Amino acid sequence: MSWNREQMCLRASQELNDGDYVNLGIGMPTLVANHIEKSLDITLQSENGMLGMGPFPFKGEEDSDLINAGKQTITSLPNTSYFSSAESFAMIRGGHIDLSILGALQVSKNGDLANWMIPGKMVKGMGGAMDLVAGVKKVIVLMEHNSKDGSSKIVENCSLPLTGKGVVNKIITNLGVFEVNNGITLIELADNVTKEDILEKTDTDVKFSS
Amino acid sequence: MNKRKHKKIFSSADNALEDILFNGMTIMSGGFGLCGLPENLIIALKKSGVSNLKVISNNAGTEGHGLGLLLETGQIKKAISSYVGENKLFEKQYLSGEIELEFNPQGTLAERIRAGGAGIPAFFTATGVGTVVSKNKEIRTFNDKDYIMETGLVADLAIIKAWKGDEAGNLIYRKTARNFNPVMATAGKVTVVEVEEIVQAGELDPDHIHTPGIYINRIIKGDGYSRSIENLTVREK
């Protein structure tokens, strides 16, 4: 047993603090928005040039001039602002965004992140990922613990090309929550997962906080 | 290039581009995905047959849309982009060596263009340190942190899309269709904009103008906008 995608997103949403400006990556991280506690004042940033991203539009009300970085149709909110790509990345690279939640292919024990290319496959491009991990105050990776072939995505050293070096602060997987700080420390186990499961499914040393 | 107001308005996209184009030129093209693309100007580029283009654009369009139109005709020699994921034709041309590709992180791309337009030849950024992006680039340490030197970008021509413009070239964009358009407007030796509506001077509130007319050489009224959506996502009422 372990967490399903829904539970992983719910757990990731608990990392958001009242007043945070947050950028959510494409894929599973985008779904974290559905789990944000209503009482929290969270502003979502979309790197194509928007702060205050609202939910998907009602059917028939979509606007081709209003999309997020995943090119999905979205809506505005009363606090929304729009700006250029240069302004958008100035706030990202200038350290004004509190938190980014991103997917990953590999994370190493010292926080190196690989999430943009697999050699031999067509390279799609890094988009804004390298800027986000270099500039945002806190970076959380949300990913499955193991890839489809069973190999660990938490590794000693990344074998894939890096997106950033020493940039990841925390990892949330289907097996638990890990802090990245002088190595990998397990801080929370997913439902019905044991420390033995973690050791067996992780390709680097894991410390236990308790 | 005449920058006097009243002389900036051209009757068509073809007309606005015909005496500017040359083979091998560098063109910046605004937009993010299919949002805020200079659709009429791209069609005019296609019709002109200008070739060996070096194109600077965040994405490479999709099949039948945006820069995808210039891929069909093999007019692009090199692309500088941050993400080209949605384009099968691009993939084919890249893998067969017909097209050269330089990936820039999206923020680095935006800042290179901003710097180019502001007369800044180079700058330092933490983005890409320790990755392939830093290869063969100067690294400097400031306050114990490493930064890569990136250079400013300018282009022979910038083609952009805005929502409304006046005869002086002052522009207003709409929602997230702004994206790369205002920065590219500043970095073209010649900048041509297409707008959905041309209004008389005085109709746009000077406090609300996003791009001041000084950056704009030529303006046309575009039409037939496709309003394409790459990823339609909706919720039920």
Side-chain angles (χ1 to χ4, degrees):
Chain A
M1 274 301 292
S2 58
W3 285 329
N4 59 29
R5 285 167 65 90
E6 189 93 2
Q7 290 167 312
M8 289 166 68
C9 290
L10 176 65
R11 181 57 189 82
S13 73
Q14 291 162 6
E15 296 292 326
L16 277 55
N17 295 311
D18 196 33
D20 275 355
Y21 289 88
V22 178
N23 183 295
L24 300 175
I26 292 166
M28 189 164 30
T30 303
L31 304 175
V32 173
N34 301 335
H35 298 273
I36 299 172
E37 176 121 24
K38 294 272 182 293
S39 64
L40 296 182
D41 176 17
I42 302 292
T43 307
L44 297 178
Q45 201 249 17
S46 189
E47 66 265 27
N48 54 320
M50 179 183 198
L51 269 171
M53 182 167 50
F56 295 154
F58 291 120
K59 212 171 167 183
E61 293 178 9
E62 61 273 7
D63 182 341
S64 58
D65 282 346
L66 184 44
I67 61 169
N68 64 17
K71 286 110 181 173
Q72 297 172 310
T73 44
I74 45 160
T75 54
S76 61
L77 295 170
N79 68 345
T80 294
S81 58
Y82 301 113
F83 34 82
S84 74
S85 300
E87 178 84 48
S88 180
F89 283 95
M91 66 183 74
I92 289 169
R93 291 146 65 115
H96 304 279
I97 306 285
D98 298 294
L99 173 67
S100 181
I101 302 179
L102 298 164
L105 297 165
Q106 286 179 330
V107 183
S108 79
K109 64 175 181 184
N110 57 359
D112 296 352
L113 169 68
N115 77 350
W116 77 282
M117 84 177 267
I118 301 174
K121 288 200 177 176
M122 173 60 193
V123 185
K124 293 181 172 187
M126 69 289 278
M130 286 190 181
D131 306 282
L132 282 161
V133 300
V136 170
K137 286 181 201 154
K138 186 174 181 185
V139 174
I140 296 179
V141 162
L142 178 62
M143 65 176 189
E144 296 291 331
H145 200 90
N146 301 89
S147 54
K148 287 196 183 100
D149 66 5
S151 59
S152 175
K153 294 172 75 173
I154 302 178
V155 295
E156 191 78 8
N157 291 299
C158 293
S159 56
L160 297 169
L162 296 186
T163 308
K165 215 169 162 48
V167 293
V168 177
N169 302 105
K170 204 174 251 189
I171 308 168
I172 299 172
T173 78
N174 50 319
L175 301 186
V177 182
F178 305 83
E179 207 147 73
V180 188
N181 186 9
N182 295 318
I184 305 284
T185 306
L186 176 89
I187 54 173
E188 194 177 322
L189 279 170
D191 303 338
N192 303 315
V193 174
T194 64
K195 289 180 181 177
E196 288 69 35
D197 293 334
I198 299 286
L199 290 173
E200 189 194 316
K201 293 184 167 170
T202 311
D203 269 355
T204 186
D205 290 340
V206 180
K207 292 177 270 190
F208 297 99
S209 59
S210 55
Chain B
M1 192 63 47
N2 200 322
K3 283 197 172 186
R4 286 185 57 203
K5 61 181 180 173
H6 308 300
K7 301 283 171 72
K8 292 187 183 182
I9 298 174
F10 279 66
S11 58
S12 71
D14 299 335
N15 212 322
L17 293 183
E18 64 184 355
D19 59 337
I20 299 173
L21 304 178
F22 59 92
N23 293 340
M25 74 191 299
T26 300
I27 300 180
M28 284 179 186
S29 183
F32 182 98
L34 301 180
C35 186
L37 293 179
E39 295 181 25
N40 290 267
L41 291 164
I42 291 171
I43 290 168
L45 280 180
K46 178 172 180 166
K47 280 200 287 188
S48 78
V50 65
S51 64
N52 278 319
L53 298 176
K54 181 173 157 188
V55 175
I56 300 167
S57 184
N58 188 54
N59 312 100
T62 60
E63 271 162 83
H65 290 289
L67 296 176
L69 294 174
L70 304 184
L71 290 170
E72 285 168 13
T73 44
Q75 286 168 272
I76 301 178
K77 176 98 191 303
K78 180 178 178 177
I80 300 181
S81 300
S82 86
Y83 190 83
V84 297
E86 282 84 16
N87 199 317
K88 287 262 178 299
L89 186 57
F90 192 102
E91 180 174 340
K92 193 171 152 253
Q93 293 186 2
Y94 173 70
L95 293 173
S96 68
E98 290 165 65
I99 195 165
E100 197 187 328
L101 174 60
E102 178 187 324
F103 277 126
N104 281 192
Q106 199 172 129
T108 293
L109 182 63
E111 189 64 14
R112 290 184 72 190
I113 298 164
R114 196 197 72 79
I120 296 168
F123 60 93
F124 287 89
T125 178
T127 297
V129 169
T131 76
V132 291
V133 167
S134 66
K135 212 171 138 192
N136 300 324
K137 287 178 186 159
E138 184 182 337
I139 302 210
R140 287 267 291 276
T141 308
F142 300 94
N143 299 320
D144 298 325
K145 198 175 162 187
D146 287 346
Y147 295 83
I148 306 171
M149 190 178 83
E150 296 280 3
T151 53
L153 281 173
V154 291
D156 298 307
L157 169 67
I159 54 171
I160 63 162
K161 153 92 196 301
W163 182 37
K164 290 182 180 181
D166 67 18
E167 52 205 18
N170 296 311
L171 305 178
I172 289 178
Y173 306 90
R174 187 170 175 274
K175 302 186 179 182
T176 55
R178 193 182 313 187
N179 54 64
F180 278 85
N181 287 300
V183 252
M184 288 184 173
T186 69
K189 283 178 197 151
V190 179
T191 295
V192 181
V193 62
E194 60 177 85
V195 297
E196 295 190 29
E197 192 184 342
I198 297 179
V199 301
Q200 298 219 314
E203 273 191 52
L204 302 177
D205 183 338
D207 270 333
H208 293 170
I209 284 164
H210 299 135
T211 292
I214 188 170
Y215 298 114
I216 305 302
N217 302 97
R218 296 179 177 187
I219 179 167
I220 61 147
K221 189 195 165 302
D223 53 34
Y225 287 105
S226 63
R227 318 271 175 214
S228 303
I229 289 170
E230 241 170 289
N231 261 328
L232 178 64
T233 44
V234 295
R235 64 190 152 131
E236 297 297 328
K237 274 194 192 172

